[in-house]
Every structure is written in structure tokens, then in C-alpha cells.
Amino acid sequence: MRARFTLADIQQHALAIVDRDGLVGLTMRSLAGSLQTGAMTLYNYVDSREALEELVVDAVSALVEIPEPTDDWLADTRAVATALWRTFRAHPAAIPLVLTRRTSSRASLAPAEALAAALARGGLDGVDLFVAFRTVSAFVMGIAQNELAGRLSHEKDPASAAQRIEGLTQGVLPTLAELAPIGAAFTGQEFERGLTIILNGIQRTPRPASSRRTPHV
Amino acid sequence: MRARFTLADIQQHALAIVDRDGLVGLTMRSLAGSLQTGAMTLYNYVDSREALEELVVDAVSALVEIPEPTDDWLADTRAVATALWRTFRAHPAAIPLVLTRRTSSRASLAPAEALAAALARGGLDGVDLFVAFRTVSAFVMGIAQNELAGRLSHEKDPASAAQRIEGLTQGVLPTLAELAPIGAAFTGQEFERGLTIILNGIQRTPRPASSRRTPHV
DNA sequence: GTCAGATACGTACGCCGTACCTAAGTCAGG
DNA sequence: CCTGACTTAGGTACGGCGTACGTATCTGAC
């Protein structure tokens, strides 16, 4: 028999289901239904549910629009991080998958390579490059999780989180009480400004003597 | 009938199962077995599987050893972040839960309050405080996920990740190829050094005019 | 034309979360 | 010391999940 589907078909339908119905909506049967076939047919393309999820991670990673390098490594680093952030924003339900799986496929490593390369163009290498790379990517992952994936399980009230915190907060958690309304009013710029903090930190953190090799910017 | 269990009993057994068998090992039946009772009995204490998971998040959050404030806000911020990191390291299998749920319980907000309070003691307030808080916590969450939760699904080979990447990497991902062996040899300090980068960035990032209220350190 | 290999997909099993129900233990008011 | 209202224990059962297994069907090489 000729193969009816391609992996790309499966990725596309699976991601569409995740976007529409969330992670719980993606089951072998629901995906099979979307492809108008039987659940077991999928096992001709995919080893397991687990492998299917890696395929979704790949599909999401492939959507990251990696920018062309310029001669400004700072702007490039920003651009790669922002491209990741935009993709996460477009597919928030898939974030837990992206954060959890270690695919090591080409598609999922390409954004990491672009990020590391941009930082390397800034003069970082060795352990310093590694640390900077890890820091930026941890920030992007973490804030995606906090900002985007959190909203999925919300009840209905858009600002209910802030209100719930305020309710719990009376006097016991004074700093959070101050922060909650600010956060509610401020959505959207924290990624950009947090990234600025990190990039400034990368530029202005002296390297320990043990890891110094070449002078950097 | 007298209640046989307390919520604390349930939290403790559930967390023990997660630590031993991973998230997939935690089912209503396995937890009931651990408590020597029937699965349905748990529903007298917990509304649903979802609520049970929030209880686990609470249990993990309660284990964070929040340090006493000193007069050094930088050291305090470091100490809170490190306490979170230590807790995550002790319970890596629970990290996806902690990152995914938005509990808003007292226990889970206490570390956040301590972190925000330490940053506030550094002179930050308003939007700047919010951004700094989000940046640090996103970093902690992100690096916990990357460093710790990733290992769970590894095959057996301890350094297999680096090798797999190197295999895929031949010429196509040169920067990652350079980074992979460094990362493998360097485990353990990236949290500390990444945090340094961020704290330096917080101190040395000028606030935009729009959010300037009081001069800060 | 035939046959080997790939592909489609139905059936069925064990495990999951949990709705529903009944039995058993607890305790207050008489 | 009853008794009845209430709380908790926990069994049964159902639908949905991932998927092992088997079989039917199509395709291309010779």
C-alpha cells in the first residue's frame, strides 16, 4: 500500500488539535479522526504517543522564524529570543511539551544554534558562552511558561489570578499584593525588559579568572 | 466515620511516589495503595486528580527553606533563588507540575513573596520590581526544567545527550557542537553564574523614563 | 502473473479517572 | 443508652486512553 500520509501531515493536524483543544484534546483517536483514519494507522508513522509529542515539538520548533545574522550580535540575540517568544505565544498549549521533551532533532536545535551563534559573535566562548546561552534560553522558557501556559487553566475571569492573589494576600504577602495589580496592568513588555536585563548582565559580568581566554566586549 | 488521613499524609505519600516512580507513577490507585486504602476513598479528601497534583505542588513549595532576610538584598535574592533551586533539585520529577500549575496557595506563594521582598529591599518598586521579579523567577523555572527535568527521560548513558547532539551536529550546528562537551563537563555551576548575570543586569539596567519613581541603587 | 513487503485498520486488553452507591463508624439530643 | 443524622470508607462499573496483535489490502519487481 502506498503511504496515505506524510509525517508533515501528522505534525500539522496534531498541532492544530493542540492549538484548538489543548494538550488533553490530542489523543491517538482524535488525531486519527482528524486524518479520517483509524487510530492504529498512526502507528505506521509514529512509534508511540510519546514519539507523537516529540513530533509536535518539532513542528513548533520549525515555525520559529530564525532571523538572518547581522553585524550586531546584541540585536541578533534579541531577535532570536524574540522569535522563540513569538512562536510560543502563537502556540501556548504546546509549551509544556516543548519544555519537557528533549528532542535533539534538527528542527528543535536550529533555534538553539542561532542563539548560541549570536552570543558567540559577541565574543563569548567556552564556559562563558555556555552560561550565557543557558541563561537566555532558561529565561525564554521560563517566562513562556509563566506568562502563556498559565492562562490555559484559568477559569474565565481574565484578571482572576490577580484577584485571587489579592484575596489570599491581605497583610501576609505584602510585596506580592503590591505587585499583583501592576502585573495585571503591565502584560506584554516583561519579556522585552527582562531580556534587556539579561543582555546587560551578560555584557557587564566579568568572567571569573578560571574561564578567561580571550578578551570580550 | 473518623477521617483516616490528613491532607498532609496524602501530600507526603503522593510526593514520595512522584520521587520514586515519576509523574506517570502517580495514579489514584497507586496513591491509594500506598495509603492502604481504595482509590475512591481519596475523593473524600481531594476533588480530582487535578486537585491532587496541586497538592503535590503545594508540598514541594512547602519544602523550600526560605532564608531570613538580612541587610544585604543581593545576598537575600540569591539565597531565595538558591533555595528554590535546591528544592527543585531534590524533587526533579515534580518540576513539570510546579511549572504548569497556578496554585495560588499560601505555601506556593511564600517563596515568591520572599523573592519579591528581597528585590524590593534593593530599592526596586512598581514596574521595575515586577520585571526583575519575573526575570529571576523565569530563569529559576527555566533552568530547573532544562537541567533537571530533562534527565528523567534519558536512556541510560549519562552523557548521551552531548553525544547525540554531536552526532546530529557535524558541521551543521557548529556552535552547539562546540558547546556540547563544555556543557557536559560543566554541570552544576550554570545556575549560580546565570543568576550572577541576571543580578548584575538588574543592578545595571537603567529604568526607562516612564517607570522612574525613586532613584535606586 | 505472482509474490514479498509495506500499509491500513479492526478487535481487544489493561489501566486510567471517576460517577454512583452502600455499608460502616461517629456523635448529639433525648 | 438509644437513635437518627451525618461523615467517611471503599466497592462496582463505565467510558476513554494507549497500544499489542492479527488480518486484509494494496503496490512494485521480476
Side-chain angles (χ1 to χ4, degrees), chain B residues 83-132:
Chain B
L84 277 163
W85 169 249
R86 253 199 298 269
T87 305
F88 286 148
R89 253 221 302 230
H91 303 279
I95 292 176
L97 245 42
V98 178
L99 266 59
T100 300
R101 314 294 139 173
R102 274 233 189 292
T103 17
S104 305
S105 71
R106 178 85 63 85
S108 73
L109 288 178
E113 168 66 23
L115 180 62
L119 289 166
R121 267 180 268 125
L124 295 170
D125 62 3
V127 168
D128 301 290
L129 174 57
F130 177 72
V131 169

Side-chain angles (χ1 to χ4, degrees), chain B:
Chain B
M1 259 185 185
R2 194 76 141 289
R4 282 180 58 190
F5 310 110
T6 64
L7 277 185
D9 293 333
I10 291 177
Q11 286 179 308
Q12 180 184 320
H13 279 82
L15 183 53
I17 291 173
V18 170
D19 285 342
R20 184 169 13 93
D21 305 325
L23 268 185
V24 292
L26 178 65
T27 70
M28 300 307 269
R29 284 173 238 258
S30 75
L31 176 57
S34 169
L35 290 162
Q36 307 215 59
T37 184
M40 294 315 290
T41 301
L42 298 174
Y43 285 87
N44 290 311
Y45 299 89
V46 152
D47 277 347
S48 64
R49 159 84 200 232
E50 185 78 9
L52 172 64
E53 292 183 344
E54 291 197 3
L55 232 44
V56 173
V57 174
D58 256 46
V60 174
S61 303
L63 293 176
V64 178
E65 293 182 18
I66 297 172
E68 287 300 314
T70 69
D71 56 358
D72 182 347
W73 70 273
L74 254 189
D76 287 355
T77 304
R78 259 208 133 76
V80 176
T82 305
L84 277 163
W85 169 249
R86 253 199 298 269
T87 305
F88 286 148
R89 253 221 302 230
H91 303 279
I95 292 176
L97 245 42
V98 178
L99 266 59
T100 300
R101 314 294 139 173
R102 274 233 189 292
T103 17
S104 305
S105 71
R106 178 85 63 85
S108 73
L109 288 178
E113 168 66 23
L115 180 62
L119 289 166
R121 267 180 268 125
L124 295 170
D125 62 3
V127 168
D128 301 290
L129 174 57
F130 177 72
V131 169
F133 168 73
R134 278 296 238 244
T135 303
V136 173
S137 54
F139 168 72
V140 175
M141 303 283 191
I143 205 161
Q145 180 62 58
N146 270 298
E147 279 300 282
L148 302 174
R151 319 205 169 190
L152 299 179
S153 54
H154 270 185
E155 302 81 46
K156 44 247 146 193
D157 190 354
S160 72
Q163 286 184 335
R164 242 183 323 165
I165 290 179
E166 264 181 302
L168 266 168
T169 267
Q170 299 291 60
V172 194
L173 306 170
T175 319
L176 287 183
E178 184 196 331
L179 233 42
I182 295 172
F186 186 62
T187 300
Q189 294 177 56
E190 58 252 75
F191 172 77
E192 205 180 309
R193 290 194 52 188
L195 188 56
T196 301
I197 286 175
I198 289 175
L199 293 178
N200 282 342
I202 288 174
Q203 289 174 277
R204 304 192 192 175
T205 298
R207 6 175 68 173
S210 62
S211 73
R212 191 169 292 133
R213 288 193 202 168
T214 60
H216 79 298
V217 182

Side-chain angles (χ1 to χ4, degrees), chain A residues 110-172:
Chain A
E113 168 67 23
L115 180 61
L119 289 166
R121 265 179 269 129
L124 294 169
D125 63 2
V127 167
D128 301 290
L129 174 57
F130 177 72
V131 170
F133 168 73
R134 278 297 237 245
T135 303
V136 173
S137 56
F139 168 72
V140 175
M141 303 283 191
I143 206 160
Q145 179 63 58
N146 270 299
E147 280 299 283
L148 303 175
R151 319 205 169 189
L152 298 179
S153 53
H154 270 186
E155 302 82 46
K156 43 248 144 190
D157 190 354
S160 72
Q163 287 185 336
R164 242 183 324 165
I165 291 179
E166 263 182 302
L168 266 169
T169 267
Q170 299 291 58
V172 194

